[in-house]
């Protein structure tokens, strides 16, 4: 069959056998544009479209951002502390008195703390930096995909816009770039590091590779070993494709490894060598050691399941099951992989089930199919081929990250899936561009058709999980559009250029409508607490194997836990889930109990006024069990509150003897009971928090302020 060019007739252009020119590190010559390039003829049009992409992303991520209040109050309290104390800033302390740290390294807190120092404490000053990180991530995605796909025609620019848009419209990305967990900074750093690796690979640039290593090291200081999930793909890409000798490739990789170690090691070394007597206790450790976090709580323990007896946690940890009241096991509802945010069964299908499915899985099947076929079709291209290099980096990062999340035996939360968003987007768009440029081949057309049909069929399933409008209607529209686009792909070589472009656009609309609908729902929903989810399906696993939603007075919605009860995060209930209260700032959980574990306490004006009395005379205006409770009181008063026992209430910080010393020296004003009865729920009598509370009850007089038990530690019995 003879194919004419578009300039000569309506048939499609010959395929481009490369995705770039020599100027971008490609060995083969650049492909010729198949027609006039409007963006090249009008440069401002290209710039305007990029600006539009970033502005749309900014509006999406900033819209009603303050409705989430302080979001995860655990991290917001640490941000407030870091804005008041440089020591707290460096260590990531939960309070400016530096009694205990959060259970993660502090890098994600630094940008937010600087913002609070400049603009004061507010929801905006905490969350806007996170949203801007999302905009920056989308910008980097545009830059890297454009560079890979650019052939001096419009296709590279269009591919970059598409990659940025797919990333921005991923529901888990819309969630985490509007929240104050560490994932926002981590994702930005890793995407930028991936861009640097590709730049290094183009010309064997050791400087670019070392810079990428430094970014990965900073990612470690954001969320520890999760930053390393991309390293196999990064290293493999450079080892295979860098245009230099094997010896130099290995030396460059060793230099990058050294950069990773130095970038993360300076902080770890300082913290570990700092005298324990003058540094805050490292939460999540049993021996006040940051190395325990590296290799245990935030490291190998997550993979091996040594932390599997826990549920919940600051950004992934949680209490022992023995700490929970009877019946708390119900919060693990959601079926395999759904897990209610607490894990569920390990499975290759974990990312497709329960809440995770709606947060990330929309394009995973298409990405895997496109990755395999695109690599096959690139075939015997030069070792340094840019398209293959980029597919190995994006596809490899997607696969390693996805496999770890699927089979990690420790704590798994649905929002972890945001780590997959850019790798999926890059794989689909770069691989799709490879196939589109070879669309005269039957294999390319069939693959594009199957990817479109499969993605929309899966979207049909996911949109049906909520059981609500507009998703029930939208799912049929998506399915119909996807099937039409799939048929168009099969016949694409017979279509005029304009109609072929319409088919491509229709396919894009069909596969993005589902995640876009979930993203809009996420943007319009306030999110508070430790465990949050995206989209209309609840973290209780609404849909197959999960909970159901029912209407609340005032127009909001609420989730009913299978077997009865209400989900964490609702007023007066346990935990810290997505809040759907018909608008307005979300309320926290009740003081104490499991509510104090995952969502903190509500602070009345009377209690706030009491704690603020003579605040400057004390290092801590109050002490209370568990960090979420302490964070609530600290954010209300903007004065340090000691979190006894750390996040779970089980850390040995402070010991009873240390606490007695603080009280004797007049450094703590009040002790706040952990529940309405003034007693820890389910904590072992050997834990410091329980010992301290028992000692306080015996030696100081209790009074009740708006239902909260308070002890004045300056007035003993």
């Amino acid at each position: 069959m003879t194919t004419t060019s578009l300039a000569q007739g309506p048939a499609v252009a010959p395929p481009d056998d490369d995705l770039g020119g020599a100027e971008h590190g490609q060995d083969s010559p650049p492909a010729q544009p198949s027609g006039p390039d409007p963006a090249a003829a009008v440069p401002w049009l290209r710039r305007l479209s990029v600006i539009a992409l970033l502005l749309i992303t900014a509006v999406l991520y900033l819209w009603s951002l303050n409705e989430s209040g302080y979001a995860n109050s655990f991290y917001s309290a640490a941000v407030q502390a870091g804005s008041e104390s440089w020591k707290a800033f460096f260590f990531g302390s939960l309070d400016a008195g530096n009694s205990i740290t959060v259970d993660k390294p502090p890098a994600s807190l630094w940008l937010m703390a600087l913002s609070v120092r400049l603009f004061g404490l507010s929801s905006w000053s905490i969350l806007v930096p996170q949203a801007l990180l999302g905009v920056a991530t989308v910008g980097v995605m545009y830059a890297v995909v454009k560079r890979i796909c650019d052939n001096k025609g419009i296709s590279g620019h269009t591919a970059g816009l598409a990659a940025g848009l797919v990333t921005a419209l991923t529901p888990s990305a819309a969630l985490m770039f509007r929240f104050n967990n560490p994932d926002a900074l981590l994702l930005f750093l890793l995407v930028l590091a991936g861009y640097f690796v590709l730049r290094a690979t183009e010309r064997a640039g050791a400087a670019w590779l070392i810079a990428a290593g430094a970014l990965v090291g900073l990612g470690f200081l954001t969320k520890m070993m999760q930053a390393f999930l991309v390293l196999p793909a990064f290293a493999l890409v450079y080892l295979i494709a860098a245009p230099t000798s094997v010896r130099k490739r290995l030396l460059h990789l060793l230099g990058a490894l050294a950069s990773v170690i130095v970038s993360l090691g300076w902080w770890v070394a300082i913290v570990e060598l700092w005298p324990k007597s003058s540094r805050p206790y490292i939460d999540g450790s049993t021996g006040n050691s940051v190395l325990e976090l590296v290799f245990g709580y935030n490291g190998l323990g997550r993979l091996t399941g040594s932390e599997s007896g826990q549920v919940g946690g600051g950004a992934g940890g949680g209490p022992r099951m023995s700490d929970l009241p009877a019946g708390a096991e119900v919060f693990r509802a959601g079926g395999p992989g759904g897990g209610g945010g607490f894990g569920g069964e390990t499975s290759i299908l974990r990312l497709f089930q329960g809440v995770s499915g709606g947060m990330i899985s929309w394009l995973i099947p298409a990405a895997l199919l496109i990755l395999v076929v695109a690599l096959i079709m690139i075939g015997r291209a030069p070792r340094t081929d840019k398209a293959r290099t980029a597919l190995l980096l994006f596809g490899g990062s997607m696969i390693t990250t996805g496999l770890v999340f699927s089979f990690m035996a420790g704590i798994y939360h649905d929002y972890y899936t945001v780590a997959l968003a850019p790798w999926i987007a890059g794989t689909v768009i770069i691989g799709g561009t490879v196939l589109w440029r070879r669309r005269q081949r039957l294999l390319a057309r069939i693959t594009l058709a199957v990817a479109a049909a499969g993605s929309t069929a899966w979207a049909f399933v996911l949109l049906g999980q909520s059981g609500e409008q507009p998703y029930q209607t939208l799912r049929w529209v998506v399915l119909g559009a996807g099937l039409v686009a799939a048929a168009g792909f099969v016949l694409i070589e017979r279509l005029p250029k304009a109609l072929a472009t319409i088919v491509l656009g229709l396919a894009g609309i069909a596969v993005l409508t589902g995640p876009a609908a979930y993203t809009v729902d996420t943007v319009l929903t306030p999110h508070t607490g430790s465990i949050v989810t995206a989209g209309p399906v609840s973290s209780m696993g609404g849909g197959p194997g999960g909970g159901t939603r029912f209407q609340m007075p005032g127009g909001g919605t609420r989730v009913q836990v299978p077997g009865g009860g209400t989900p964490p995060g609702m007023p007066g209930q346990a935990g810290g889930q997505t809040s759907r209260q018909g608008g307005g700032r979300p309320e926290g959980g009740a003081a104490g109990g499991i509510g104090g574990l995952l969502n903190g306490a509500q602070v009345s004006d009377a209690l706030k006024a009491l704690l603020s009395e003579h605040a400057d005379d004390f290092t801590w205006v109050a002490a209370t069990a568990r960090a979420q409770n302490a964070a609530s009181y600290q954010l209300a008063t903007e004065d340090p509150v000691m979190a006894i026992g750390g996040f779970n209430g089980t850390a040995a910080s402070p010991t009873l003897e240390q606490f007695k010393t603080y009280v004797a020296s007049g450094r703590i004003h009040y002790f706040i009971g952990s529940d309405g009865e003034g007693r820890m729920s389910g904590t072992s009598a050997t834990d410091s928090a329980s010992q301290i509370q028992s000692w306080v009850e015996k030696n100081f007089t209790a009074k009740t302020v708006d239902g909260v038990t308070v002890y004045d530690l300056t007035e003993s019995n």
Side-chain angles (χ1 to χ4, degrees):
M1 173 178 177
T2 302
T3 305
T4 59
S5 70
L6 288 175
Q8 297 172 325
V12 297
D16 299 336
D17 289 331
D18 64 273
L19 291 179
E23 66 183 37
H24 294 309
Q26 177 73 332
D27 291 344
S28 52
Q32 296 301 315
S34 57
D37 179 5
V42 188
W44 62 265
L45 187 60
R46 178 176 293 198
R47 291 193 292 269
L48 184 62
S49 60
V50 176
I51 292 172
L53 170 67
L54 299 181
L55 284 178
I56 290 171
T57 305
V59 170
L60 192 67
Y61 290 172
L62 292 170
W63 188 268
S64 299
L65 195 59
N66 64 319
E67 292 295 312
S68 291
Y70 289 129
N72 189 340
S73 58
F74 178 66
Y75 290 121
S76 290
V79 167
Q80 184 274 332
S83 72
E84 299 287 338
S85 162
W86 287 113
K87 183 176 181 180
F89 179 92
F90 176 80
F91 284 103
S93 300
L94 188 66
D95 61 272
N98 291 289
S99 63
I100 196 168
T101 70
V102 296
D103 58 358
K104 296 289 182 292
S108 68
L109 306 174
W110 290 341
L111 188 60
M112 291 183 282
L114 291 174
S115 176
V116 172
R117 278 185 179 267
L118 288 173
F119 303 109
L121 180 66
S122 70
S123 176
W124 285 104
S125 61
I126 291 174
L127 297 180
V128 166
Q130 303 291 90
L132 295 181
L133 285 171
V135 176
T137 301
V138 169
V140 175
M141 283 296 297
Y142 165 80
V144 65
V145 174
K146 174 188 177 297
R147 186 176 185 88
I148 294 300
C149 296
D150 204 352
N151 67 341
K152 297 185 178 181
I154 193 173
S155 57
H157 170 71
T158 305
L161 291 177
L165 187 63
V166 172
T167 303
L169 293 181
T170 302
S172 57
L175 174 71
M176 298 315 293
F177 284 125
R178 293 170 52 85
F179 205 65
N180 59 332
N181 275 22
D183 304 75
L185 178 61
L186 177 65
L187 197 60
F188 169 72
L189 291 171
L190 295 186
V191 171
L192 188 59
Y195 177 54
F196 284 6
V197 170
L198 290 176
R199 291 296 302 268
T201 305
E202 289 177 1
R203 299 186 183 279
W208 284 104
L209 197 64
I210 289 172
L215 290 174
V216 173
L218 187 56
F220 180 92
L221 296 185
T222 302
K223 210 174 178 186
M224 289 197 166
M225 284 195 175
Q226 186 176 327
F228 292 168
L229 296 184
V230 298
L231 287 182
F234 285 12
L236 180 64
V237 160
Y238 193 82
L239 188 60
I240 291 176
T244 187
S245 66
V246 174
R247 178 177 175 276
K248 286 187 176 180
R249 279 177 263 163
L250 291 173
L251 288 175
H252 292 174
L253 286 171
L254 288 175
L257 177 60
S259 177
V260 172
I261 295 172
V262 171
S263 181
L264 68 87
W266 68 272
W267 184 84
V268 172
I270 292 174
V271 173
E272 197 66 17
L273 295 175
W274 197 292
K276 291 184 178 181
S277 60
S278 65
R279 77 176 185 211
Y281 188 92
I282 307 299
D283 197 13
S285 71
T286 58
N288 193 10
S289 169
V290 71
L291 293 180
E292 289 185 34
L293 291 186
V294 175
F295 297 106
Y297 183 78
N298 285 330
L300 299 179
R302 297 300 173 98
L303 299 178
T304 63
S306 61
E307 301 294 332
S308 61
Q310 299 180 325
V311 292
R320 299 172 309 205
M321 288 301 301
S322 60
D323 290 341
L324 301 181
E329 186 72 25
V330 70
F331 296 136
R332 302 184 72 135
F342 297 122
E345 298 177 8
T346 59
S347 167
I348 192 65
L349 298 178
R350 174 186 262 180
L351 300 179
F352 298 88
Q353 296 175 320
V355 185
S356 291
M359 290 181 67
I360 197 62
S361 72
W362 304 85
L363 295 177
I364 291 179
L368 293 172
L369 173 64
I370 288 172
L371 173 65
V372 172
V373 177
L375 289 175
I376 291 173
M377 299 199 74
I378 290 172
R380 297 182 180 180
R383 176 176 61 83
T384 56
D385 182 84
K386 286 204 313 176
R388 181 168 52 211
T389 298
L391 283 172
L392 289 175
L393 185 140
F394 280 93
S397 298
M398 174 185 67
I399 290 171
T400 54
T401 302
L403 287 176
V404 169
F405 288 167
S406 296
F407 293 102
M408 59 189 289
I411 296 299
Y412 166 81
H413 293 312
D414 299 293
Y415 63 75
Y416 290 177
T417 57
V418 69
L420 288 160
W423 313 126
I424 294 171
T427 302
V428 168
I429 300 303
I430 296 171
T433 302
V434 171
L435 299 179
W436 179 252
R437 291 176 173 174
R438 292 162 172 80
R439 59 192 179 274
Q440 92 289 352
R441 302 182 187 177
L442 179 61
L443 179 59
R445 298 197 303 274
I446 294 298
T447 302
L448 290 171
V450 172
S455 295
T456 51
W458 181 235
F460 181 84
V461 174
L462 293 175
L463 288 168
Q465 288 187 349
S466 70
E468 298 178 355
Q469 292 294 359
Y471 310 102
Q472 289 302 304
T473 298
L474 194 62
R475 64 197 298 239
W476 290 102
V477 176
V478 167
L479 182 62
L483 294 179
V484 170
F489 279 134
V490 174
L491 303 173
I492 201 75
E493 69 167 352
R494 300 179 181 273
L495 301 179
K497 178 182 178 182
L499 193 53
T501 302
I502 291 174
V503 169
L504 183 61
L506 180 63
I509 293 172
V511 300
L512 285 182
T513 296
Y518 267 49
T519 293
V520 170
D521 179 272
T522 302
V523 168
L524 297 179
T525 302
H527 294 87
T528 61
S530 296
I531 304 171
V532 289
T533 58
V537 179
S538 80
S539 62
M540 294 298 101
T548 57
R549 301 185 350 164
F550 59 89
Q551 293 298 313
M552 290 178 60
T557 55
R558 194 165 168 182
V559 183
Q560 185 170 11
V561 178
T566 51
M570 308 313 296
Q573 300 298 329
Q577 304 291 339
T578 299
S579 174
R580 297 179 174 275
Q581 302 180 40
R585 179 167 296 190
E587 300 179 55
I594 195 174
L597 170 64
L598 295 179
N599 202 41
Q602 298 181 37
V603 183
S604 68
D605 291 339
L607 184 56
K608 176 182 175 181
L610 177 69
L611 297 180
S612 298
E613 291 178 358
H614 310 294
D616 292 340
D617 297 335
F618 300 89
T619 303
W620 297 279
V621 297
T624 190
R626 291 177 173 160
Q628 285 285 17
N629 281 333
S632 299
Y633 299 122
Q634 181 170 304
L635 291 169
T637 62
E638 297 190 37
D639 292 309
V641 175
M642 177 183 290
I644 299 174
F647 191 90
N648 303 331
T650 56
S653 172
T655 64
L656 177 58
E657 293 306 314
Q658 288 172 328
F659 188 81
K660 289 179 179 180
T661 301
Y662 292 145
V663 172
S665 59
R667 300 183 65 185
I668 308 174
H669 195 175
Y670 293 103
F671 180 87
I672 303 171
S674 62
D675 57 31
E677 300 297 324
R679 182 167 298 280
M680 288 285 292
S681 298
T683 301
S684 169
T686 61
D687 289 337
S688 294
S690 182
Q691 294 176 357
I692 289 170
Q693 182 144 326
S694 297
W695 177 78
V696 169
E697 291 172 350
K698 293 177 182 178
N699 293 278
F700 299 90
T701 302
K703 63 179 178 180
T704 302
V705 180
D706 289 339
V708 178
T709 304
V710 181
Y711 301 83
D712 188 337
L713 300 182
T714 65
E715 300 177 1
S716 59
N717 293 338

